Amino acid sequence: MDKNTITGFILLALTFIAFGWYNQPSDEEIAEAARQDSIAKAAQAQAEAEKKSKRQQAVSMQMDSTAAFFAASKGTNQDIILKNQKLQLTVSTKGGTVTKAVIKDFADREGNKDVTLFEGKDQKLAFMFEGKTENINTADLFFSPKNITDTTVTLVAEAGAGKGLELSYRLGKDYLLHAQLRMTGMGGMFSPSCKTMDIEWSERCKQQEKGFTFENRYASLTWHNAEGGTDYLSETSEKTDEPIEEATDWIAFKNQFFSAVMISRDNFKENALATSVPQEKGSGYLKNYAARLKTEFDPTGKKASEFEFYYGPNDFRLLQSIEEESSFGKDLQLERLVYLGWPLFRYINRWFTLYVFDWLTAMNIPMGIVIILITLILKAITYPMVRKSYMSSAKMRVLRPKLEEATKKYDKPEDQMKKQQEMMMLYSKYGVSPMSGCLPMLIQCPIWIAMFNFVPNAIQLRGESFLWIDDLSTYDPIIEWNTNIWLIGDHLSLTCILFCAANLVYSWFTMQQQKDQMIGQQAEQMKMMQWMMFAMPLMFFFMFNDYSSGLNFYYFISLFFSAAIMFALRKTTDDKKLLAKLEARYKENEANPSRKSSGLYAKLEEMQRKQQEMEKQREALRNKRLGK
């Protein structure tokens, strides 16, 4: 290390020593810092003492408050049975709520004569109240039963002389349970601003039908907005704590044919939270449902909080009648639990299908016959339009040779517009509308979709047998296996196979009808489309193999009669007479050249006129550029 380096280190050290000496505090500053540190320690000690005192005070107050329900916090569970001819409910004194619901005279998938909607820990319900110093949860309390009859019980959680929490239940004539909750002498435990209580309700929704996948499609957590209209969580995806933004008056844990519904007289507040979690096939459950709700609560006990619970079948007419039995006087629209489709299809089902179905089922005939009769009625109603549409297609078929002869000079690709215009002109002179051939499908589509929504939700089909079908509400396997195969599942449904076979026959008839009336490139394009038409029944098989046999049977019968009608019309149509009528109309129109065109042909004429004007303008512009 050289001399310069040593000198540098010495100077640097002296600089740090001088800086530290210059910045050291004076004796007065040291004393003041010590005084401030002492004050801070004293303040911290005082704050900790106050916090400890508050904790001890809170614990003391909580012990005092808990002491009010000390007797109710311990006890022995007792089950109270409420029953009528339609429903049997088990009410537990631990928590004071219904722990089991048995719907009578609806056999379950295991062959028992009654359906157990839920039992034990599968459903939980708790009412919670926020006191001044503690939260009260009815799930933690034991209630004493009083005034027990077959249809009524009063449960009381004692909190001292003249104090307590009272739950009263009254079972109606069928599936409606009326409930009242009231605090007595407990107003001092709540702050003056306490006007609501919390409700936590959950259920593991049991699989009740044979077809898990199909039943799961119709299981959903559903609610009714207080201002009208229903909504629901997705049946297929997991939804956790989804907010319900509007106030609601009921919320339902629904599976395909049965529901548990909770109705509030004072409505559930906005921003309730709803949860629906789909379960795995083979678990025995469809969904895990949960709802976190708020509703009105009077801590003084002057006004009871009132609820009604519906535990029963999703029967449209029955659910309509429940509104009359309800004591709340609300437009509940519980029948919306039976999903009838989007507005157009719901209208068809609501004002036609339901009435016809009620009329036929009142005759006590087999449900399979009911489906056949509904199909025949629908075919009879639509037959005039279908026949008119078929005759339009037949006119185009008999005119095909004349159209081919008249348009053969327009076979070049650039002449296709002229060819179409020539064809439309001939159609107009012969009085034929090429668009009416699409009418049969347009007529049938709304009906098909309406029945797609109606049949799976018709509880009347549940457990009903017909021919080889054991249950029209679920699939009818001709073979089953244990392994789940992609797109197929674990079975083959016979009615689905019949539906797809009938669809193939109907598609062939339709294709032949369209092929007979197409010309030139249209016929070539039809050859490509036929593969799609034949592929559709295969796609339907993968879609409908899990669906109910009643729905597949309806589609099979409908397609069978549609094909039969088309075959009969084809056999009874005299092409020569039809062509003679068309020729007479053509001559009549030719003799009246002043007849004004209308419809599609008029539009094509206008397009042709504009195209000719544009061609003339282009020709004039070219001549001008060439100096002609």
Side-chain angles (χ1 to χ4, degrees):
M1 184 178 294
D2 59 14
K3 180 179 178 181
N4 292 333
T5 304
I6 294 172
T7 302
F9 275 118
I10 292 171
L11 292 173
L12 185 63
L14 290 173
T15 301
F16 277 113
I17 292 170
F19 181 80
W21 176 81
Y22 179 77
N23 287 284
Q24 69 179 349
S26 64
D27 292 340
E28 292 80 2
E29 290 175 332
I30 292 172
E32 180 64 20
R35 188 176 71 84
Q36 293 293 336
D37 185 59
S38 177
I39 292 173
K41 287 182 178 179
Q44 182 179 0
Q46 183 179 357
E48 289 180 355
E50 290 177 356
K51 187 183 294 185
K52 183 177 180 181
S53 176
K54 288 180 179 180
R55 282 200 302 266
Q56 290 176 345
Q57 184 179 6
V59 169
S60 177
M61 292 177 68
Q62 186 172 6
M63 289 178 63
D64 291 341
S65 299
T66 304
F69 276 105
F70 181 77
S73 64
K74 296 181 180 181
T76 303
N77 180 44
Q78 179 183 350
D79 288 335
I80 310 297
I81 303 298
L82 303 179
K83 61 183 178 179
N84 57 26
Q85 294 182 346
K86 303 289 184 65
L87 186 65
Q88 178 173 304
L89 301 175
T90 301
V91 181
S92 173
T93 58
K94 176 64 164 63
T97 55
V98 177
T99 56
K100 184 177 181 180
V102 177
I103 303 171
K104 298 180 181 180
D105 301 325
F106 287 92
D108 66 10
R109 64 191 179 99
E110 296 174 354
N112 299 314
K113 67 183 184 68
D114 301 323
V115 162
T116 300
L117 189 60
F118 59 84
E119 62 181 324
K121 296 181 179 180
D122 284 348
Q123 186 175 119
K124 298 177 182 179
L125 174 61
F127 301 98
M128 295 171 290
F129 312 89
E130 186 177 354
K132 292 179 180 178
T133 58
E134 68 164 341
N135 293 332
I136 301 169
N137 190 329
T138 57
D140 299 329
L141 303 179
F142 286 86
F143 291 77
S144 300
K146 299 178 180 178
N147 306 323
I148 302 174
T149 68
D150 283 346
T151 58
T152 62
V153 65
T154 300
L155 302 173
V156 180
E158 298 287 351
K163 298 180 180 180
L165 172 62
E166 183 178 288
L167 274 167
S168 299
Y169 291 107
R170 176 176 60 84
L171 182 60
K173 61 181 181 180
D174 41 42
Y175 302 101
L176 200 62
L177 177 68
H178 306 264
Q180 287 189 346
L181 183 151
R182 187 193 304 270
M183 287 284 185
T184 55
M186 306 292 291
M189 288 187 60
F190 303 93
S191 66
S193 61
C194 180
K195 300 296 182 182
T196 62
M197 66 175 171
D198 293 294
I199 302 171
E200 288 190 356
W201 189 30
S202 63
E203 180 185 325
R204 295 185 71 195
C205 182
K206 291 179 65 175
Q207 178 185 348
Q208 303 288 358
E209 315 305 323
K210 180 171 65 175
F212 171 87
T213 304
F214 186 65
E215 184 183 6
N216 216 10
R217 289 190 183 101
Y218 294 91
S220 62
L221 190 152
T222 307
W223 63 88
H224 182 261
N225 297 322
E227 299 300 322
T230 55
D231 205 347
Y232 58 92
L233 295 184
S234 170
E235 302 94 334
T236 55
S237 59
E238 180 176 331
K239 299 292 183 180
T240 303
D241 287 341
E242 286 287 314
I244 303 174
E245 296 180 354
E246 299 182 22
T248 57
D249 49 22
W250 59 257
I251 189 164
F253 296 160
K254 173 183 177 294
N255 62 15
Q256 185 179 3
F257 292 122
F258 304 97
S259 291
V261 187
M262 185 179 186
I263 310 165
S264 172
R265 174 186 283 276
D266 298 315
N267 299 336
F268 300 114
K269 300 293 184 180
E270 299 87 347
N271 297 314
L273 300 177
T275 296
S276 175
V277 181
Q279 301 300 289
E280 294 292 329
K281 184 176 182 178
S283 66
Y285 295 90
L286 304 173
K287 304 279 196 320
N288 279 354
Y289 292 135
R292 297 166 63 185
L293 312 163
K294 281 183 180 292
T295 191
E296 298 290 337
F297 166 63
D298 180 10
T300 67
K302 294 179 181 178
K303 177 185 176 183
S305 297
E306 295 187 59
F307 305 93
E308 290 176 336
F309 297 87
Y310 176 82
Y311 305 111
N314 299 331
D315 184 312
F316 190 92
R317 299 301 186 195
L318 172 64
L319 289 167
Q320 281 184 315
S321 68
I322 291 298
E323 190 168 303
E324 299 176 2
E325 186 180 343
S326 171
S327 60
F328 295 166
K330 291 185 173 185
D331 184 13
L332 295 173
Q333 295 184 306
L334 280 171
E335 67 273 9
R336 288 291 188 94
L337 287 171
V338 181
Y339 184 67
L340 297 179
W342 291 351
L344 171 62
F345 313 120
R346 182 169 66 242
Y347 185 85
I348 294 172
N349 284 326
R350 174 68 180 84
W351 301 107
F352 173 77
T353 312
L354 270 168
Y355 283 97
V356 174
F357 189 76
D358 291 343
W359 172 57
L360 292 174
T361 52
M363 299 180 184
N364 294 321
I365 55 180
M367 283 297 166
I369 301 298
V370 170
I371 293 175
I372 293 174
L373 292 176
I374 288 178
T375 308
L376 288 173
I377 291 170
L378 290 171
K379 292 300 177 186
I381 292 172
T382 58
Y383 176 77
M385 292 177 285
V386 171
R387 186 180 184 280
K388 183 177 180 180
S389 174
Y390 173 82
M391 294 307 297
S392 178
S393 298
K395 291 173 184 178
M396 294 172 66
R397 182 182 69 246
V398 299
L399 286 175
R400 179 182 175 184
K402 293 185 175 294
L403 292 172
E404 288 179 336
E405 180 65 26
T407 59
K408 63 181 181 181
K409 57 184 176 182
Y410 300 116
D411 285 340
K412 294 180 181 179
E414 61 269 22
D415 293 335
Q416 289 306 303
M417 176 62 77
K418 294 181 180 179
K419 183 175 184 176
Q420 290 294 329
Q421 291 169 349
E422 183 70 19
M423 288 173 60
M424 293 307 299
M425 181 186 69
L426 289 171
Y427 282 142
S428 178
K429 290 183 177 180
Y430 280 106
V432 175
S433 173
M435 299 302 294
S436 60
C438 304
L439 193 59
M441 189 56 67
L442 294 176
I443 294 169
Q444 293 187 73
C445 274
I447 296 173
W448 273 44
I449 297 173
M451 294 300 289
F452 176 84
N453 289 297
F454 177 80
V455 174
N457 289 294
I459 194 172
Q460 292 84 353
L461 299 179
R462 186 179 185 271
E464 292 292 324
S465 60
F466 183 69
L467 300 177
W468 70 90
I469 305 170
D470 293 329
D471 186 349
L472 285 164
S473 70
T474 187
Y475 60 83
D476 57 320
I478 54 172
I479 184 172
E480 293 182 277
W481 53 86
N482 294 325
T483 305
N484 189 64
I485 299 177
W486 183 63
L487 290 179
I488 297 178
D490 56 6
H491 66 274
L492 291 177
S493 173
L494 179 55
T495 51
C496 181
I497 294 172
L498 292 174
F499 158 46
C500 294
N503 202 357
L504 276 172
V505 175
Y506 180 76
S507 297
W508 183 83
F509 271 111
T510 304
M511 186 178 59
Q512 290 299 121
Q513 180 176 320
Q514 293 176 348
K515 188 187 297 183
D516 290 343
Q517 64 192 40
M518 291 186 175
I519 301 168
Q521 289 188 352
Q522 291 180 337
E524 293 299 322
Q525 292 172 357
M526 185 61 194
K527 292 179 181 179
M528 300 176 62
M529 289 180 61
Q530 67 183 0
W531 295 107
M532 293 181 59
M533 297 180 72
F534 283 132
M536 285 298 292
L538 183 62
M539 294 174 59
F540 280 137
F541 171 77
F542 294 125
M543 291 173 58
F544 285 84
N545 191 44
D546 267 330
Y547 274 60
S548 72
S549 54
L551 183 63
N552 282 322
F553 183 68
Y554 164 74
Y555 284 151
F556 164 65
I557 295 297
S558 179
L559 286 167
F560 174 81
F561 284 122
S562 294
I565 290 170
M566 289 179 65
F567 179 80
L569 288 171
R570 183 69 176 88
K571 289 296 183 182
T572 56
T573 301
D574 190 326
D575 289 358
K576 292 182 179 180
K577 290 183 178 180
L578 183 59
L579 181 58
K581 289 181 180 179
L582 294 174
E583 290 289 359
R585 184 175 297 172
Y586 180 84
K587 291 177 181 179
E588 181 183 341
N589 291 333
E590 282 287 292
N592 185 18
S594 60
R595 185 182 62 92
K596 187 177 180 180
S597 301
S598 61
L600 182 60
Y601 177 62
K603 293 179 181 179
L604 286 172
E605 276 188 332
E606 181 64 19
M607 290 173 59
Q608 185 179 21
R609 185 184 62 78
K610 290 181 179 180
Q611 185 179 19
Q612 289 172 351
E613 289 178 357
M614 290 176 64
E615 287 292 336
K616 289 179 181 179
Q617 291 175 1
R618 292 193 191 100
E619 185 66 25
L621 185 59
R622 282 196 298 267
N623 292 336
K624 186 176 181 180
R625 288 176 179 174
L626 295 173
K628 293 183 180 180

